[in-house]
Amino acid sequence: MNKQKQLGQRRQRRRYTVRNRMQASADRPRLCVHRSLQNIGAQLIDDESGRTIVSVSSRDKGLRDEVGYGGNCDAAAKVGKLLAEKATAAGIKRVTFDRGHNKYHGRIAALADAAREGGLEF
């Protein structure tokens, strides 16, 4: 089997395993993280109504100038801090963390730690 196909199947299986373990609701939305090579983004999703409540990315206009390169831990921390500010403004304190197929280290951990410092409870 092709190596890339095998890695893709592992990522998909890991994503399903992480997603099936969590219960997201309107009072506790899902904090979904998307990581690419050059950027990182996060959004709060209400799974019951299927809508996005808050969304922040390193590609956003105000954050792009401040961050510069979005593929490092500093950019992830700033995204997490801004996400926590927007979430508290929307009246959300508790979230469920969905890291997708990503391991909890590096940029993912930096984003989560900054969101916790900003006032979100996981």
Side-chain angles (χ1 to χ4, degrees):
M1 181 180 281
N2 185 352
K3 180 79 170 177
Q4 292 301 319
K5 187 174 181 180
Q6 201 173 26
L7 289 174
Q9 288 175 344
R10 283 186 197 161
R11 285 188 191 111
Q12 191 171 25
R13 188 172 51 230
R14 194 165 44 232
R15 183 180 296 127
Y16 290 149
T17 303
V18 169
R19 184 97 20 100
N20 287 333
R21 270 189 278 158
M22 62 182 62
Q23 297 288 327
S25 60
D27 59 330
R28 192 173 180 137
R30 178 166 52 102
L31 193 157
C32 184
V33 178
H34 177 263
R35 178 183 65 103
S36 68
L37 289 176
Q38 295 185 358
N39 290 297
I40 191 162
Q43 56 185 354
L44 293 178
I45 302 170
D46 179 10
D47 286 329
E48 292 175 352
S49 65
R51 67 184 185 93
T52 300
I53 302 166
V54 175
S55 173
V56 178
S57 173
S58 62
R59 291 175 283 174
D60 290 347
K61 193 172 255 185
L63 205 55
R64 186 180 341 144
D65 299 331
E66 182 182 338
V67 170
Y69 178 64
N72 54 19
C73 289
D74 296 333
K78 289 179 183 176
V79 167
K81 185 177 178 185
L82 185 61
L83 180 81
E85 290 173 6
K86 286 187 175 184
T88 52
I92 298 168
K93 285 286 189 189
R94 301 178 71 204
V95 295
T96 304
F97 189 65
D98 178 13
R99 60 184 170 84
H101 67 269
N102 304 304
K103 294 180 181 178
Y104 187 84
H105 75 103
R107 290 189 281 161
I108 304 297
L111 188 143
D113 292 340
R116 279 192 190 101
E117 289 174 9
L120 290 180
E121 292 179 29
F122 291 22

